[in-house]
Amino acid sequence: RFDVELVAVTKRYSATTTAVDDISLRIPRGSYCCLLGPSGCGKSTTLRMLAGHESVSEGAILVQDVEITTLPPIQRGTSMMFQDYALFPHLTALENVAFSLKVRKVPKEERLKRAREYLELVQMDNLANRLPNQLSGGQQQRVALARSLITRPKVLLLDEPLSALDPFLRTRMRAELKRIQKELGITFVHVTHSQEEAMALSDMMVVMNDAKIMQAAPAREIFETP
Ligand code: ADP
Ligand code: ADP
């Protein structure tokens, strides 16, 4: 069983820019998958096509056996967490997390109850009433994570989620991401240019270069010398 399948997916931005060139990939259910590669190799484009923020030029995308290639973002079973958090500055942590459910017309009491649960999951329930500017970078990131999980996605997409953090927090959040992924049992697809980060997190590692997939395998098979 696969949570994500890309079937011969190509993305052309113009006649001269092919950002993703005929890639195929299957990500097993409940995996922590890292997309690793140098800047400009097509990682973000791949993630944005999964999220529905970018159209596909050719090929198909499936989530849990359902084709989602042309569905709008909120109907795909995916959710995206961005590197710059993008919290609403005038809303508290709790309100920020609950907001995704407001858009989906979930009643207020249910929204706030679930928002508290997800703040607890990211260990931020004690700071629920703070505004974003009263939180550290790492704390804001936990709130952003709760906000992207509260819609109960089948697949969470993370674009360089640790790159804005200092090295100490980066290591801590890395462990947190792994814990939360295992606790929820959903697939995470995490874009990074750091081999160390991908090694530490991946069940499955996908190495991209120049718009192509070079290797897709468990991390140890890719980097262990025989
Ligand atoms: P990565 O995430 O690996 O850094 P990207 O997916 O951002 O790579 O970019 C892959 C290629 O596509 C690069 O050559 C980049 O300049 C180009 N590209 C990315 N986004 C756009 C866009 N919106 N319009 C045109 N070209 C783009
Ligand atoms: P990242 O590598 O994290 O995707 P970038 O700085 O490459 O960040 O891209 C930031 C934004 O600029 C993205 O929305 C991307 O689509 C767009 N972009 C990147 N490269 C190009 C390009 N060559 N032409 C037009 N837009 C681009």
Side-chain angles (χ1 to χ4, degrees):
R1 305 296 303 275
F2 298 99
D3 272 343
V4 176
E5 293 177 73
L6 300 181
V7 186
V9 170
T10 291
K11 176 64 185 185
R12 283 184 217 93
Y13 286 110
S14 67
T16 53
T17 310
T18 302
V20 172
D21 188 5
D22 189 24
I23 66 171
S24 294
L25 177 65
R26 296 199 291 194
I27 304 175
R29 191 153 291 183
S31 311
Y32 204 117
C33 175
C34 285
L35 271 183
L36 173 69
S39 182
C41 73
K43 306 181 299 293
S44 293
T45 298
T46 301
L47 207 68
R48 292 203 301 271
M49 287 193 288
L50 281 170
H53 298 156
E54 199 71 74
S55 65
V56 169
S57 305
E58 277 172 44
I61 301 176
L62 288 79
V63 167
Q64 293 185 357
D65 305 321
V66 177
E67 184 172 354
I68 58 147
T69 317
T70 59
L71 288 183
I74 74 164
Q75 289 174 27
R76 298 183 155 230
T78 60
S79 179
M80 177 90 127
M81 191 181 115
F82 298 94
Q83 60 183 214
D84 57 4
Y85 325 142
L87 299 176
F88 298 112
H90 59 292
L91 298 182
T92 65
L94 185 74
E95 290 164 346
N96 261 289
V97 176
F99 188 82
S100 311
L101 297 180
K102 189 171 186 181
V103 179
R104 287 168 169 78
K105 310 244 184 288
V106 176
K108 184 163 185 181
E109 213 164 295
E110 169 72 13
R111 287 204 297 272
L112 293 175
K113 180 168 164 276
R114 254 163 76 184
R116 280 191 200 93
E117 281 169 29
Y118 279 85
L119 279 178
E120 201 171 316
L121 177 72
V122 299
Q123 301 176 337
M124 282 290 295
D125 40 322
N126 55 334
L127 301 175
N129 296 320
R130 294 229 186 144
L131 292 170
N133 68 9
Q134 299 168 318
L135 297 171
S136 71
Q139 291 168 341
Q140 288 182 49
Q141 183 157 51
R142 286 168 189 267
V143 175
L145 182 61
R147 189 177 59 173
S148 55
L149 288 169
I150 196 171
T151 57
R152 297 177 181 151
K154 298 180 175 106
V155 179
L156 182 70
L157 307 170
L158 309 104
D159 194 355
E160 297 274 3
L162 305 176
S163 63
L165 303 177
D166 66 50
F168 173 76
L169 269 181
R170 198 176 299 149
T171 311
R172 234 175 85 179
M173 270 311 286
R174 193 198 271 172
E176 281 291 276
L177 286 174
K178 188 81 178 173
R179 171 185 71 78
I180 289 165
Q181 187 267 331
K182 290 292 165 241
E183 195 168 323
L184 296 176
I186 66 174
T187 285
F188 280 23
V189 183
H190 173 137
V191 161
T192 179
H193 60 266
S194 161
Q195 181 176 316
E196 191 206 349
E197 194 170 300
M199 283 291 282
L201 285 167
S202 304
D203 300 314
M204 180 184 187
M205 177 132 62
V206 177
V207 182
M208 287 187 75
N209 195 30
D210 199 14
K212 297 267 196 194
I213 291 177
M214 310 274 70
Q215 278 180 294
R220 60 176 181 284
E221 288 179 21
I222 290 183
F223 289 111
E224 244 174 35
T225 44

